[in-house]
Amino acid sequence: MKELILGLITSLILFGLICLTYIIQGKAWALSTAFRIPIFMIFMPFGVHHATEKNNKENIKYLSKIFLISIAFSLILGIIFNDIFFNLFEYLEIKKYY
């Protein structure tokens, strides 16, 4: 149960950091969410999971499991809140350019 909560928190933190980068930039390329969200919420955590899953230390294995759960939560939340992901600029009032 603790892994699920930490995985959800990890997913929410990653999404919050993505939103924060857009807010700091103030404007962004219109299709950047289609690239930035999958890279930072799915591919990078999977890379960390894959790099650490065969480590002999229990703490590193635990971290690897949390990143794998984070990927699952990111996919589930991405499906449920699809409108927010694709209309992120409107919610954050970010100017987009093409």
Side-chain angles (χ1 to χ4, degrees):
M1 183 69 177
K2 187 176 178 182
E3 293 93 358
L4 293 175
I5 293 170
L6 290 174
L8 178 62
I9 290 171
T10 304
S11 292
L12 294 175
I13 287 172
L14 289 173
F15 185 69
L17 289 174
I18 290 170
C19 291
L20 184 65
T21 60
Y22 282 128
I23 291 171
I24 290 171
Q25 288 176 344
K27 65 178 184 174
W29 179 49
L31 296 175
S32 68
T33 56
F35 295 101
R36 195 176 289 187
I37 289 176
I39 287 172
F40 288 104
M41 293 188 74
I42 296 173
F43 297 128
M44 287 181 68
F46 181 75
V48 172
H49 163 72
H50 188 66
T52 59
E53 70 180 333
K54 295 184 181 181
N55 198 312
N56 291 332
K57 295 183 180 179
E58 289 299 318
N59 290 340
I60 303 297
K61 283 185 180 181
Y62 187 72
L63 182 67
S64 176
K65 195 183 301 185
I66 289 172
F67 275 110
L68 191 62
I69 292 169
S70 169
I71 294 168
F73 273 120
S74 295
L75 291 171
I76 292 168
L77 292 173
I79 292 169
I80 293 172
F81 298 108
N82 190 23
D83 187 49
I84 291 175
F85 281 148
F86 286 106
N87 294 321
L88 186 61
F89 293 142
E90 285 81 20
Y91 289 110
L92 297 177
E93 298 177 1
I94 304 293
K95 297 177 186 175
K96 30 182 180 175
Y97 62 89
Y98 297 90

